[in-house]
Amino acid sequence: MTTAPEQLAANRSFGGWHRRFRHRSAVLGCDMVFAIYLPPQAEAGPVPVLYWLSGLTCTDENFMQKAGAQRLAAELGIAIVAPDTSPRGTGVPGDPDGAWDFGLGAGFYVNATEEPWRRHYRMYDYVVEELPALVEAHFPVSDARSISGHSMGGHGALVCALKNPGRYRAVSAFAPIANPSACPWGEKAFARYLGAERARWLEWDACALIAGATERLPLLVDQGEADGFLAEQLRPEALRAACTAAGHPLNLRLQPGYDHSYYFIASFIDDHLRHHAAALRG
C-alpha cells in the first residue's frame, strides 16, 4: 500500500469534488502535486479515470481551472487526474540557461538517461505506473483508464498509449507535439534527456511508434489552424502520414481560427470527454 497523499485544497464542483494533493514520489525523488476531480458518482462506487497531461510551463492547475471539463465529467461519471509536468523542488535541476521549454515544467513525459536529468526526470514511469497506482489505492476509482493531453502533454498521451497496449481504453490529444524527434522543442529536450543518438529518440516519438503498435486505439486529435506553433513544432501532417502508412485509425480535426490556448481546449473538450466516456463506460 502506498502512503496516503496529503490534501492541499478541496473545492465543490458540479456535485463532485476537485481536490489537490501532495505526495512523495519514489520514481522522481521529490514531492509531487496532482489534482483529481471526482464526479458525484464516486460517492456510490469506483469510477473510471481520464489522465490529463499538460503542456510546457503548466502545472495541474491549468487544465482544471481553464478547460471547463468538470461539468460534463460530472454528467458522464468520469474522474480526471492532472499531474504536474515535471519534477520540482530543491535539488531538481532546471534549464541551466533558465529557458521555459526545458527542465522545470518541461519533463516531456520521457525517462531521462543522461546526467544530471536521469535521477529525477522519469515522468513516463510516474504517469504510467506510480501515479495510477497511488490514485487507485486511495480514491474511489477503477482501473479503467484513458489518457489525453495538450501540446507536450499531447505527445505524452500518444506515447503512453502507444507503448502500453491494453493499459488505456482511449486516447486523444490537443495540438500534440506529434513528431518531437524532428522539431526544435523535441530536439532540444531529447538531446539533453536522452543523449545525442537520434535512434534512441524514436522510442519517444508517436510518429515512429505507430508503425509497430500492437494495439490500434483510435486517435482523436484536434489542431487549431491558427496555432502559432503549428508548422515548426507540432507537425500534424507527419502524424497523419504515419497513421495512413500503418493503417492506424486517426480522426485529425483541423479547426479554423483556433490557436494553441485553453480557449481552444475549452471549445472542444466536451467532444474529447465523450470520446473517452464511450470507451471507459462501454
Side-chain angles (χ1 to χ4, degrees):
M1 174 69 74
T2 57
T3 303
E6 171 195 1
Q7 182 168 290
L8 303 176
N11 301 93
R12 195 76 164 151
S13 179
F14 295 99
W17 285 95
H18 167 267
R19 301 181 187 273
R20 296 186 78 216
F21 292 88
R22 178 190 295 118
H23 75 106
R24 185 69 183 178
S25 168
V27 166
L28 304 179
C30 64
D31 287 347
M32 290 294 287
V33 173
F34 69 92
I36 182 170
Y37 176 70
L38 290 169
Q41 294 87 338
E43 296 181 7
V47 295
V49 186
L50 167 62
Y51 288 87
W52 173 269
L53 308 183
S54 291
L56 290 164
T57 76
C58 291
T59 68
D60 64 283
E61 294 184 289
N62 296 75
F63 178 81
M64 291 299 199
Q65 293 182 3
K66 296 179 179 180
Q70 291 89 342
R71 178 193 58 79
L72 187 55
E75 178 183 322
L76 296 171
I78 298 173
I80 302 174
V81 172
D84 203 344
T85 51
S86 80
R88 300 182 194 263
T90 303
V92 175
D95 186 277
D97 300 318
W100 59 271
D101 59 354
F102 181 79
L104 301 180
F108 267 84
Y109 305 102
V110 302
N111 286 341
T113 58
E114 304 301 300
E115 297 292 354
W117 322 107
R118 66 178 183 175
R119 170 64 189 93
H120 298 285
Y121 285 80
R122 303 185 62 83
M123 286 297 294
Y124 172 79
D125 280 352
Y126 177 71
V127 165
V128 172
E129 299 290 346
E130 186 179 36
L131 183 59
L134 178 79
V135 169
E136 290 166 21
H138 295 287
F139 298 93
V141 302
S142 71
D143 62 359
R145 312 174 197 92
S146 67
I147 193 163
S148 185
H150 172 228
S151 194
M152 178 186 71
H155 140 74
L158 295 176
V159 167
C160 289
L162 290 166
K163 289 171 75 74
N164 293 277
R167 186 160 186 82
Y168 303 101
R169 298 191 184 181
V171 58
S172 73
F174 287 83
I177 304 174
N179 192 194
S181 65
C183 77
W185 278 340
E187 289 172 336
K188 177 179 179 177
F190 285 7
R192 295 187 183 186
Y193 289 142
L194 305 173
E197 185 181 341
R198 284 179 173 260
R200 292 164 59 190
W201 301 1
L202 301 182
E203 300 174 25
W204 306 99
D205 187 310
C207 288
L209 291 170
I210 281 169
T214 59
E215 180 182 47
R216 296 298 181 191
L217 280 182
L219 309 182
L220 172 60
V221 176
D222 273 305
Q223 172 62 62
E225 289 187 334
D227 190 322
F229 302 116
L230 176 58
E232 184 178 31
Q233 303 285 10
L234 305 178
R235 309 198 68 224
E237 76 286 350
L239 182 65
R240 190 196 298 276
C243 287
T244 299
H248 197 111
L250 169 67
N251 183 8
L252 174 58
R253 310 192 307 182
L254 300 177
Q255 305 291 0
Y258 285 89
D259 58 18
H260 200 68
S261 71
Y262 267 85
Y263 295 107
F264 160 57
I265 294 171
S267 298
F268 300 102
I269 190 62
D270 283 6
D271 291 350
H272 286 246
L273 288 173
R274 290 191 174 96
H275 167 78
H276 289 276
L280 289 168
R281 291 291 189 187

